[in-house]
Amino acid sequence: MPELPEVETVRGGLAPVLEGHRLTHVEARRPDLRFPLPLNFVQTLTGATIVSLRRRAKYLLAQTDREDTLVMHLGMSGRFEIARPEGAVRPGQFHYAPDPDPKHAHIVFETEAGARVTYYDPRRFGYMGLVNTATLDLHPWFAGLGPEPLSDDFDAARLKTAFKDRKQGPKTLLLDQRIVAGLGNIYVCEALHRARISPFKAAGRISLPRLKRLVTDIREVLGEAIAAGGSTLKDYAQADGALGYFQHRFRVYDREGTPCSNPGCSGVIARKVQAGRSTFYCPVCQT
DNA sequence: CCCACGACCTGTGGGC
DNA sequence: TGCCCACAGGTCGTGG
């Protein structure tokens, strides 16, 4: 599933075709994704103009010129594809290439300009909803979210407070969206490896200088991934259909048995299940 | 409050 | 080739 950098990449891919564009056709091919779609989903969005497309944590926020913001979460396997018309059947009506994966094409948006944005999600862990824009921050999806890791609100002092007296490893706590919003399994593993911090060490016992290093490394790895256009795994493609390449730069994720890349370390990357998720790490230099 | 675990849903890849 | 199991980027609810 897309983590922060992938969602940011999707945002960047969708923004040119959605921002400032009016939705002329909205289709929900099933009544639910992970949760039921609002009953007024199609009605509310049809004819609305998307005034901005932003990201908060792993959510995409498409603010409309009506009262609501369309909130989209990609879950594990959600992705968007943009189709451009191959020709106009007649003015305002367009022709598109056949959908390569109609079985998982759950939501379709078409804009006045002729772009077709299709949401695919085989596992249906993703979800969409309509949230009143004026009170968006109070909505349960957003009210408890921690700071954006790339913002100034996120720093070592804040992590120190969040980690205080906690016995769980930093791996588990960094996945908690209330502590910091937008990290997922891949980038937590990558950041802890860069910072040479053990995923299993009691979080409350990590020193402030090491947390400072961790904050820097979180920002660094996210920044690199965003710059690379987001990572692409099996069932994820960039919003415009092109592929990202950051997955080739993972240093620990899915690299069990390969040599540790940290300078001067002769360790071998290991995998352990921690709180039900795979943790990849170097048992030698991550302490 | 903290923490571990199962559930949600579907697809894929590896081993036999 | 076929079958079965393990596993997958996230989040939520339950129960100790």
Side-chain angles (χ1 to χ4, degrees), chain A residues 1 3 58 76 171-172 175 183-186 189 200 253 271-280:
Chain A
M1 169 274 115
E3 304 184 28
K58 300 169 192 171
M76 300 271 266
K171 163 71 193 303
T172 310
L175 288 175
L183 298 181
N185 205 34
I186 291 176
C189 289
F200 311 105
Y253 185 81
R271 180 180 85 91
K272 268 191 189 169
V273 175
Q274 181 180 19
R277 314 288 304 277
S278 283
T279 293
F280 295 90

Side-chain angles (χ1 to χ4, degrees), chain A residues 4-6 8-9 150 183 186-187 190-191 193-194 213 215-232 238 244-251 261:
Chain A
L4 186 154
E6 291 74 36
E8 188 58 43
T9 299
L150 295 175
L183 298 181
I186 291 176
Y187 294 103
E190 293 294 320
H193 176 255
R194 289 181 183 215
R213 169 72 188 276
V215 166
T216 302
D217 285 322
I218 288 171
R219 293 213 175 97
E220 184 182 84
V221 72
L222 293 179
E224 288 177 18
I226 291 171
S231 62
T232 303
Q238 204 168 309
Y245 289 97
F246 192 74
Q247 76 273 21
H248 299 308
R249 301 199 210 160
F250 293 154
R251 297 182 191 172
S261 60

